[in-house]
Amino acid sequence: MNNFELYNPVKVIFGAGEVKRIGEAVRAYGKQALIVSYPVVDFYGDLFERIHRSLTQSGVAYTDCFVATANPKLSEARQAIALGKREHADVVIGVGGGSAMDLAKVVAAGMLYPHDLKRMIKFSHSTDEQIPPKEALPMVMLPTLPATASEMNPTAVITDDATMRKSYVWEPACLYARVSILDPELTLTLPAYQTACGAIDA
């Protein structure tokens, strides 16, 4: 086995039904949450009702931002950042698979990023045009697909709408989530194909 170093500051809350603790987890980091997920969330059943209820009971206000698509786009990030600034969000929640959580990371960093958002992304390793983010709003992740481990790493995939180039931003200084709630009940109704893809991904 090769030598390696591991650093992972993410607090993990694991267990069936632990989604109910999202309010207390978020409250430790902010009072106004921006919830990032997909345009269509009805397949989640009452999940967002449970999230909203937990946040409200913990005294956290929230704004839903359901714009994430597969291989999330810079335009989606810009839309979410504008909404987050308008609502004075001070914490970001990512709910879904890797695309939703990746978008949440870009949004959390973009809320505080002083340059054009495109400069954050590492489009080329042969040039030095990227300006990595130095800070981000605190993030809480709620994965619903066991696959990409975005809830446990400081990396986000993002796509430039103009060129359709898919690339990434990686920054251990600020892109780790503060808390990830791993509730296996949220993955029970996944199709067999998605379950298999997640297992292979892992």
Side-chain angles (χ1 to χ4, degrees):
M1 187 172 191
N2 293 334
N3 295 355
F4 69 89
E5 294 183 14
L6 174 67
Y7 171 73
N8 200 315
V10 182
K11 176 180 179 180
V12 174
I13 299 174
F14 176 85
E18 290 291 67
V19 64
K20 67 180 182 292
R21 295 178 58 187
I22 193 165
E24 67 177 78
V26 172
R27 184 181 58 195
Y29 300 102
K31 296 181 178 179
Q32 180 70 50
L34 183 72
I35 305 174
V36 177
S37 194
Y38 307 108
V40 178
V41 296
D42 55 357
F43 57 87
Y44 283 130
D46 67 348
L47 174 60
F48 283 92
E49 294 175 16
R50 294 158 64 194
I51 292 171
H52 294 162
R53 183 165 58 249
S54 179
L55 292 170
T56 299
Q57 290 172 348
S58 295
V60 178
Y62 60 85
T63 301
D64 291 331
C65 184
F66 295 165
V67 298
T69 59
N71 303 310
K73 315 292 188 296
L74 279 171
S75 61
E76 297 161 7
R78 290 191 172 104
Q79 181 181 346
I81 290 166
L83 177 60
K85 288 182 175 180
R86 188 162 65 246
E87 298 297 327
H88 305 288
D90 55 8
V91 59
V92 177
I93 304 170
V95 181
S99 293
M101 292 186 287
D102 285 1
L103 184 61
K105 292 178 188 178
V106 174
V107 171
M111 289 280 291
L112 304 176
Y113 193 64
H115 311 287
D116 181 78
L117 192 63
K118 192 172 179 178
R119 298 296 301 275
M120 186 191 300
I121 313 305
K122 187 74 170 179
F123 285 110
S124 173
H125 286 268
S126 59
T127 64
D128 198 25
E129 297 178 354
Q130 183 203 25
I131 305 175
K134 295 182 178 179
E135 56 183 341
L137 294 182
M139 293 166 279
V140 174
M141 299 297 181
L142 186 64
T144 60
L145 177 69
T148 67
S150 185
E151 72 278 5
M152 296 295 290
N153 66 48
T155 309
V157 169
I158 193 80
T159 301
D160 181 2
D161 304 61
T163 63
M164 295 311 293
R165 285 190 302 172
K166 177 180 174 181
S167 197
Y168 71 95
V169 55
W170 175 83
E171 185 46 68
C174 62
L175 289 184
Y176 279 110
R178 302 296 179 90
V179 181
S180 288
I181 300 177
L182 311 183
D183 187 336
E185 288 186 342
L186 301 183
T187 69
L188 290 177
T189 57
L190 283 170
Y193 176 78
Q194 290 293 345
T195 301
C197 287
I200 295 299
D201 208 356

